[in-house]
Amino acid sequence: MNHGLSEKAKALLEYCLINDRVCPQRDFWNHLWVINAKAKTFDSILNQYKLPLITKDSSEKEKIQRSTRLRKYIEYADKKNLINEMDAFIRSIPEGKWHHFYEE
């Protein structure tokens, strides 16, 4: 499942699952996109829907899709040697600035 990823990327993916995290809230999410955009060959899949819109009415399926998109961002950063910056930024996000699966 995590084949080909660096140990740092694997640890970051695990970190993102703590406390039922889905993805960072909008302002923090935008910065993740900016980090990956530095690769200059930004994949069109990652470029789609760069804002994870989660509301109190978001379904579990929508939350899983946002969580999967975060995983793709991390995998892409690892592939493009941006994982150190991605890791430092994600770990700096306060818990209150994350969307969680258990939110209503």
Side-chain angles (χ1 to χ4, degrees):
M1 188 163 133
N2 290 333
H3 301 294
L5 293 178
S6 69
E7 290 303 314
K8 182 164 268 192
K10 290 176 187 178
L12 184 56
L13 288 170
E14 288 181 27
Y15 174 82
C16 290
L17 296 175
I18 294 172
N19 295 333
D20 289 328
R21 293 179 185 133
V22 175
C23 64
Q25 292 177 3
R26 185 180 307 229
D27 290 343
F28 291 91
W29 182 267
N30 289 346
H31 189 75
L32 296 179
W33 188 88
V34 168
I35 291 170
N36 275 344
K38 292 176 183 179
K40 304 285 190 236
T41 58
F42 202 51
D43 188 294
S44 63
I45 292 172
L46 295 178
N47 201 15
Q48 294 174 351
Y49 314 111
K50 66 179 181 177
L51 301 179
L53 301 175
I54 293 183
T55 67
K56 64 180 184 163
D57 299 322
S58 292
S59 68
E60 289 300 307
K61 180 180 177 184
E62 290 170 315
K63 289 179 180 182
I64 289 170
Q65 289 170 339
R66 283 6 175 239
S67 181
T68 299
R69 193 170 312 139
L70 175 60
R71 177 185 181 87
K72 288 181 184 295
Y73 271 43
I74 292 168
E75 290 172 348
Y76 185 83
D78 193 42
K79 178 180 172 185
K80 297 298 182 177
N81 298 315
L82 296 165
I83 193 63
N84 289 333
E85 184 177 357
M86 181 72 72
D87 181 82
F89 179 73
I90 286 176
R91 291 178 188 275
S92 75
I93 299 171
E95 191 64 36
K97 297 299 183 176
W98 285 83
H99 292 291
H100 298 86
F101 280 104
Y102 57 79
E103 291 173 340
E104 295 185 31

